[in-house]
């Protein structure tokens, strides 16, 4: 599905393999449908060179997907840090980004993962007043805690409210928007949804107008020109009346 693929390819380079594997695993019915279309034979040798009975195709694909799931899960789990969290290059230097992508992919693969040390690591990144070093960090930490079935130690809503005001102010001046505008808006919409924060009508109107201001004739979104990544973020961050990203 092109829309789901857009989400996968927009997450960053080093997690592509794991997320594509998870995408294939979770779209097994589509794979079977493809196999059915490739051949309507039910048994016997190939009707013509290169076309095999669908049972053989299904069995081969099932084996391959099981192997992909196993190998992807092992690849991720090997990068779990002793102190909690995950590190792509397998040192005990976890990052919120690597931890989020690891937990999100394990979730897509339907591989259970419970780690008290990872939760402690994520919770320790929060400032005493409930804020974070940046909205990017807040996005990865709070998204990871949600995947882990846990919560931050302090209420982060005040910090998210400040960022909301800043981004809405920027939306009033779209000419000043940077290349990271859509990514920031997507992350903010996700944070507000996680925390159950509703948008004010005025905020929602301004942000929707800003999104549409960067829509191009080819249907894409972006600063300067439409890009696949910005189009994914732009079409998935439009807040609905409940504050959740679409």
């Amino acid at each position: 599905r092109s829309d789901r693929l857009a989400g996968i390819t927009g997450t960053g380079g080093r997690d592509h393999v794991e997320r594509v594997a998870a995408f294939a695993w979770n779209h097994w019915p589509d794979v079977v449908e493809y196999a059915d279309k490739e051949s309507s034979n039910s048994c016997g040798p190939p009707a013509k060179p290169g076309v095999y009975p669908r049972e053989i195709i299904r069995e081969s694909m099932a084996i391959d997907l099981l192997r992909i799931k196993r190998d992807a899960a092992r690849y991720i789990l090997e990068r779990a840090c002793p102190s909690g969290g995950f590190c792509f290059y397998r040192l005990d230097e976890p990052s919120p980004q690597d931890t989020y992508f690891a937990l999100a992919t394990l979730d897509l693969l339907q591989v259970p993962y419970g780690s008290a040390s990872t939760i402690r690591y994520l919770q320790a990144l929060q400032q005493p007043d409930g804020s974070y070093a940046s909205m990017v960090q807040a996005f990865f930490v709070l998204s990871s805690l949600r995947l882990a079935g846990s919560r931050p130690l302090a209420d982060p809503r005040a910090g998210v409210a400040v960022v909301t005001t800043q981004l809405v102010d920027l939306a009033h001046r779209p000419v000043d928007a940077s290349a990271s505008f859509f990514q920031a808006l997507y992350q903010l919409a996700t944070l507000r949804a996680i925390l159950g924060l509703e948008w004010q009508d005025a905020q929602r109107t301004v942000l929707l107008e800003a999104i549409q201001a960067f829509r191009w004739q080819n249907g894409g979104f972006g600063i300067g020109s439409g890009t696949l990544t910005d189009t994914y973020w732009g079409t998935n961050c439009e807040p609905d009346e409940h504050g959740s990203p679409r």
Side-chain angles (χ1 to χ4, degrees):
R1 302 299 189 213
S2 60
D3 56 337
R4 294 296 300 278
L5 284 172
I8 292 172
T9 56
T11 55
R14 61 194 185 191
D15 66 307
H16 283 187
V17 174
E18 303 98 298
R19 295 182 72 84
V20 168
F23 175 86
W25 177 258
N26 284 331
H27 287 73
W28 170 244
D30 294 335
V31 176
V32 172
E33 178 184 354
Y34 171 79
D36 288 342
K37 290 180 179 179
E38 287 296 301
S39 172
S40 60
N41 298 322
S42 60
C43 62
K48 58 182 179 179
V51 180
Y52 292 87
R54 61 187 180 186
E55 282 77 12
I56 296 177
I57 297 176
R58 286 183 177 185
E59 181 178 356
S60 176
M61 287 182 172
I63 294 173
D64 286 344
L65 286 174
L66 286 171
R67 178 180 54 79
I68 290 171
K69 177 180 180 179
R70 180 199 64 208
D71 292 349
R74 182 175 65 244
Y75 174 89
I76 296 167
L77 293 172
E78 287 175 348
R79 285 154 176 77
C81 298
S83 61
F86 288 79
C87 175
F88 171 72
Y89 44 87
R90 297 207 283 191
L91 294 180
D92 193 14
E93 299 176 358
S95 73
Q97 291 91 331
D98 286 353
T99 300
Y100 166 74
F101 287 127
L103 294 177
T105 306
L106 290 173
D107 181 66
L108 285 172
L109 290 169
Q110 299 178 346
V111 174
Y113 181 78
S115 170
S117 60
T118 291
I119 292 175
R120 288 194 298 270
Y121 159 72
L122 292 167
Q123 291 176 333
L125 292 171
Q126 190 178 34
Q127 303 298 319
D129 63 356
S131 65
Y132 291 89
S134 66
M135 186 181 69
V136 173
Q137 187 187 72
F139 169 79
F140 285 118
V141 170
L142 293 177
S143 297
S144 296
L145 285 172
R146 181 176 63 171
L147 287 166
S150 187
R151 295 176 177 272
L153 296 177
D155 189 345
R157 287 179 293 181
V160 172
V162 171
V163 175
T164 299
T165 300
Q166 294 172 344
L167 199 58
V168 170
D169 180 63
L170 179 61
H172 280 290
R173 301 173 283 102
V175 68
D176 296 330
S178 67
S180 62
F181 173 75
F182 280 98
Q183 179 181 5
L185 184 53
Y186 172 81
Q187 292 177 343
L188 176 61
T190 301
L191 284 173
R192 293 183 66 88
I194 290 175
L195 299 173
L197 297 174
E198 295 187 1
W199 295 94
Q200 298 175 9
D201 289 341
Q203 293 174 333
R204 183 172 183 272
T205 298
V206 170
L207 292 175
L208 289 177
E209 289 177 350
I211 292 172
Q212 291 300 323
F214 292 108
R215 184 170 186 173
W216 298 86
Q217 290 183 347
N218 63 0
F221 293 83
I223 308 298
S225 63
T227 68
L228 180 61
T229 303
D230 282 344
T231 299
Y232 169 76
W233 282 325
T235 55
N236 282 276
C237 72
E238 296 181 5
D240 61 20
E241 63 273 15
H242 302 296
S244 300
R246 297 174 190 259

